[in-house]
Amino acid sequence: ISRVLNNSPIPSDDIREHVQSVIKRLNYVPQRPGRKRRGTRPRKNVNPTRTIGLLLAPHIYPNFSAGDLYYASLLNGIYQWVGHFDYNLMVGTHDEGNVLPSFVAKNQFDGLIIDDKIPAATQQMLMERMPVVFIDSSPRKVGSSSVRPNFETAVTDILTYLWSLEHRDIAMFIS
């Protein structure tokens, strides 16, 4: 398998075809050196890329282009904190046709920020490959890290602002 992956001339064409078909069927992507191996504790990355990936479900992207302030402020906050620690940020969406998103398979990250709308099987595969933090959601898997907005403070701020404008008939619709 290693010789096929490294384009060695040694394997026969039949073996090469068989290995490549299994790789495609399993959606296998080789891990870069220094990443954790299945069944072991994560090792400290000896060659950090200083890049964090932000992987979102595809339905969220239209919210950015539509000027949705919530998602714009969320992205801005992530960008500022990543930059504060001198990391780069790459943003992509989950390709629903693949278990392992091509955005992740083609790039090397020190960690990944994902939303909970990504399928559970993909979440598990990502957590086996690198550190993952869930954003704006509660993770399905116990022991996963997550960052959520403080909705109580946000609602209090909104109501205080509306009250200061002397609005007294206030309704809130939650989808």
Side-chain angles (χ1 to χ4, degrees):
I1 293 170
S2 174
R3 289 182 174 160
V4 170
L5 291 173
N6 291 313
N7 295 320
S8 170
I10 294 175
S12 69
D13 290 340
D14 291 341
I15 290 174
R16 184 177 307 280
E17 277 182 33
H18 176 70
V19 169
Q20 288 172 340
S21 71
V22 171
I23 287 171
K24 185 174 182 173
R25 182 173 41 106
L26 296 176
N27 200 20
Y28 173 77
V29 177
Q31 294 178 341
R32 72 184 185 98
R35 293 287 185 216
K36 83 175 192 178
R37 304 293 186 249
R38 186 179 297 268
T40 64
R41 294 179 53 93
R43 294 185 304 178
K44 186 168 177 82
N45 189 356
V46 293
N47 296 314
T49 63
R50 309 239 19 113
T51 302
I52 301 294
L54 173 59
L55 182 65
L56 302 169
H59 72 276
I60 291 178
Y61 260 169
N63 295 327
F64 288 117
S65 60
D68 185 309
L69 293 178
Y70 175 75
Y71 287 103
S73 63
L74 187 69
L75 180 61
N76 185 47
I78 294 169
Y79 178 75
Q80 285 182 9
W81 274 102
V82 167
H84 177 76
F85 292 100
D86 199 28
Y87 275 76
N88 299 304
L89 180 67
M90 289 186 70
V91 182
T93 59
H94 175 251
D95 177 9
E96 295 178 23
N98 294 322
V99 175
L100 182 66
S102 58
F103 169 75
V104 176
K106 293 177 183 176
N107 295 288
Q108 299 174 349
F109 302 107
D110 293 332
L112 198 59
I113 302 169
I114 65 174
D115 72 86
D116 199 33
K117 306 298 184 273
I118 293 170
T122 302
Q123 291 178 19
Q124 184 61 40
M125 183 180 291
L126 293 171
M127 288 187 290
E128 289 174 359
R129 292 178 171 269
M130 67 186 69
V132 170
V133 173
F134 289 85
I135 189 72
D136 193 29
S137 63
S138 295
R140 292 180 184 137
K141 182 164 178 65
V142 176
S144 299
S145 299
S146 67
V147 178
R148 296 194 57 158
N150 185 337
F151 290 111
E152 183 178 339
T153 300
V155 170
T156 302
D157 290 348
I158 291 167
L159 292 174
T160 302
Y161 174 72
L162 292 173
W163 193 262
S164 74
L165 297 175
E166 298 185 7
H167 294 286
R168 298 299 183 258
D169 295 324
I170 302 170
M172 184 169 166
F173 298 92
I174 301 174
S175 60

